[in-house]
Amino acid sequence: MSTIGDLPPTPVSATSISVVLVTGGSGLVGSALKYLIDNEPIDSPYGRRKDEEWVFLSSSECDLRDIQQTREVFGKYRPREVIHLAAKVGGLFANMSSQHTFLRDNLLMNDSILQVSHEMKVRKVVSCLSTCVFPDKVEYPLTEEKIHLGPPHSSNFGYSHAKRLIDIQNHAYHDQFGDLFTSIIPTNVFGPGDNYNLESAHVIPGLIHKCYLAKKNNTPFTVFGSGEPLRQFIYSRDLAKLFIWVLREYKEIDPVILSVAEDDEVSIKDVADAIIEAMHFKGPVEYDTSKADGQFRKPASNAKLTRLMTESGAGEYEFTPFKLALKVSVDWFLDHYDTDARI
Ligand code: NAP
Ligand code: GDP
């Protein structure tokens, strides 16, 4: 059985300061949380509390697939709360080419984090699922209680099953030990600090990068698939604010969907057109229908989120308009093209 017997003692200075540990702190969502913590006023609704220290982990500090390394990093920071974002993440085409890596890396990371959080009596863990955990064939809209009703879409079954299991693990830890481990389900996320790598990117960062290259090289801008699939997109800084609300206010083990409204679906063609406008691209646009469309749509309901935020007094969340958030993301990409390691 796993124990924490060989962990270093809690530092004396840690007793009055409570640590919030963010795994995946260097990623898209992690950097949006860091932006809030660095910029929102202390003790404001989306800001750091004055008795908190936020620690943002990256894979260079600890490989979370290794439970012993995870124990050591938890021993160092002694977190009171954990936001678990670290994951092997990628767009449709990266998932299709490496199902086993997406399954195994995520299973190992999730198991390390939840087991070590249990051993160290972490007060609350909020993990991150994805709307691809839902069954491929299910009545729309997607709602929280439908996760386990059938197999996920085949295009990312490795990632989806690993993510689904977090919900099962959360319930098992709660059922047997009373742990407060929960999860959120975001839709497709985009924003500053995204993964713009052409091989592994999600659609928005992938298309921003491709449009940039098409403009620079005077070549056609190629969008994969038919352009017809629909997605709900959430801006990373909106998601970060909702994450903080969940950390402070949400008390259930079951997940909550963090999404724009069900009728705010955008087609891939609309995304491409918005990027063309933001980039001032004037060249030809092609749709490569030899490439997969993936799931046609997966509309998720944010009714539970809206109800709970209203009941908590926070009120209904006002999302950043899509085109404005896209413009910030395009500008971030242009500003960081020569310097960011992930581009
Ligand atoms: P991301 O930008 O790809 O960042 C992934 C993070 O995980 C990075 O900080 C990375 O660290 C860390 N990481 C990866 N492997 C690790 C390992 N073996 N040990 C320690 N850390 C490791 O991902 P993201 O888009 O911010 O995603 C955050 C969460 O949201 C994930 O749980 C993801 O499944 C979920 N999600 C994302 C989307 C989306 O559209 N992006 C949609 C739904 C759900 P380094 O950078 O230092 O390697
Ligand atoms: P998903 O939302 O989980 O399916 O993942 P993505 O963010 O990768 O979005 C995939 C959708 O965008 C599919 O319909 C793809 O055909 C379409 N798409 C169009 N061009 C691209 C591209 O350059 N990269 C990616 N990842 N998807 C693209």
Side-chain angles (χ1 to χ4, degrees):
M1 193 191 134
S2 311
T3 68
I4 54 165
D6 51 358
L7 287 172
T10 308
V12 176
S13 60
T15 50
S16 57
I17 292 287
S18 125
V19 171
V20 183
L21 185 69
V22 181
T23 75
S26 51
L28 166 64
V29 183
S31 57
L33 266 169
K34 187 165 187 319
Y35 177 85
L36 282 191
I37 294 304
D38 290 346
N39 290 286
E40 292 283 316
I42 291 177
D43 283 338
S44 66
Y46 302 118
R48 171 174 81 77
R49 291 192 173 152
K50 63 174 170 303
D51 62 350
E52 281 175 352
E53 181 190 344
W54 284 63
V55 174
F56 294 87
L57 280 186
S58 73
S59 66
S60 59
E61 187 165 1
C62 171
D63 184 344
L64 296 168
R65 293 171 299 184
D66 179 333
I67 195 164
Q68 202 47 42
Q69 284 189 39
T70 307
R71 287 195 179 104
E72 281 159 22
V73 89
F74 272 58
K76 179 175 173 190
Y77 295 114
R78 298 272 167 169
R80 181 162 183 269
E81 289 161 331
V82 171
I83 294 184
H84 173 37
L85 304 174
K88 168 84 180 160
V89 186
L92 171 66
F93 299 99
N95 272 275
M96 284 170 69
S97 66
S98 312
Q99 299 285 358
H100 179 260
T101 311
F102 277 87
L103 175 69
R104 185 157 189 268
D105 282 7
N106 286 314
L107 285 174
L108 289 172
M109 272 187 253
N110 301 338
D111 185 60
S112 299
I113 289 296
L114 294 179
Q115 177 57 21
V116 176
S117 294
H118 167 69
E119 291 170 0
M120 298 219 34
K121 299 186 172 30
V122 169
R123 191 190 75 82
K124 184 171 183 178
V125 180
V126 185
S127 299
C128 201
L129 312 187
S130 159
T131 47
C132 63
V133 300
F134 284 101
D136 180 28
K137 295 188 173 34
V138 71
E139 196 181 323
Y140 291 142
L142 303 173
T143 51
E144 289 80 356
E145 68 283 357
K146 294 180 184 168
I147 294 180
H148 303 288
L149 295 185
H153 192 262
S154 58
S155 59
N156 49 18
F157 70 89
Y159 174 82
S160 304
H161 277 292
K163 287 281 176 183
R164 261 186 195 195
L165 267 180
I166 292 180
D167 178 52
I168 303 293
Q169 288 171 295
N170 285 346
H171 277 280
Y173 277 105
H174 181 71
D175 191 74
Q176 191 171 345
F177 306 112
D179 290 323
L180 179 50
F181 295 171
T182 188
S183 61
I184 62 99
I185 307 179
T187 53
N188 200 316
V189 191
F190 70 103
D194 210 335
N195 169 19
Y196 289 91
N197 179 289
L198 288 175
E199 302 298 316
S200 56
H202 279 96
V203 58
I204 289 184
L207 289 183
I208 289 175
H209 196 163
K210 288 200 291 190
C211 188
Y212 170 81
L213 292 177
K215 186 175 172 185
K216 186 172 150 192
N217 301 328
N218 212 9
T219 52
F221 171 34
T222 306
V223 181
F224 292 158
S226 64
E228 289 169 14
L230 300 167
R231 295 288 183 270
Q232 284 157 303
F233 293 98
I234 184 165
Y235 180 43
S236 58
R237 289 178 183 166
D238 286 333
L239 179 59
K241 287 182 175 170
L242 293 172
F243 241 115
I244 289 182
W245 177 83
V246 168
L247 182 71
R248 309 285 189 222
E249 302 289 343
Y250 187 65
K251 297 180 180 65
E252 297 178 27
I253 304 302
D254 283 333
V256 56
I257 293 170
L258 304 185
S259 172
V260 298
E262 203 184 308
D263 51 10
D264 279 338
E265 286 179 300
V266 180
S267 74
I268 300 301
K269 180 175 184 309
D270 288 342
V271 171
D273 288 345
I275 290 171
I276 287 167
E277 188 184 323
M279 282 274 189
H280 308 292
F281 177 71
K282 307 274 182 239
V285 183
E286 294 174 348
Y287 283 83
D288 180 354
T289 51
S290 70
K291 295 286 199 300
D293 267 342
Q295 219 162 343
F296 184 69
R297 63 192 287 250
K298 35 186 170 178
S301 162
N302 67 4
K304 179 176 178 181
L305 173 72
T306 303
R307 175 175 57 78
L308 290 176
M309 283 194 85
T310 305
E311 284 171 8
S312 77
E316 194 169 335
Y317 187 79
E318 207 170 302
F319 289 91
T320 308
F322 177 71
K323 280 198 175 178
L324 176 60
L326 189 70
K327 176 85 175 71
V328 177
S329 310
V330 167
D331 288 347
W332 189 94
F333 172 86
L334 295 173
D335 287 346
H336 292 79
Y337 185 73
D338 293 322
T339 52
D340 192 84
R342 295 220 298 175
I343 297 179

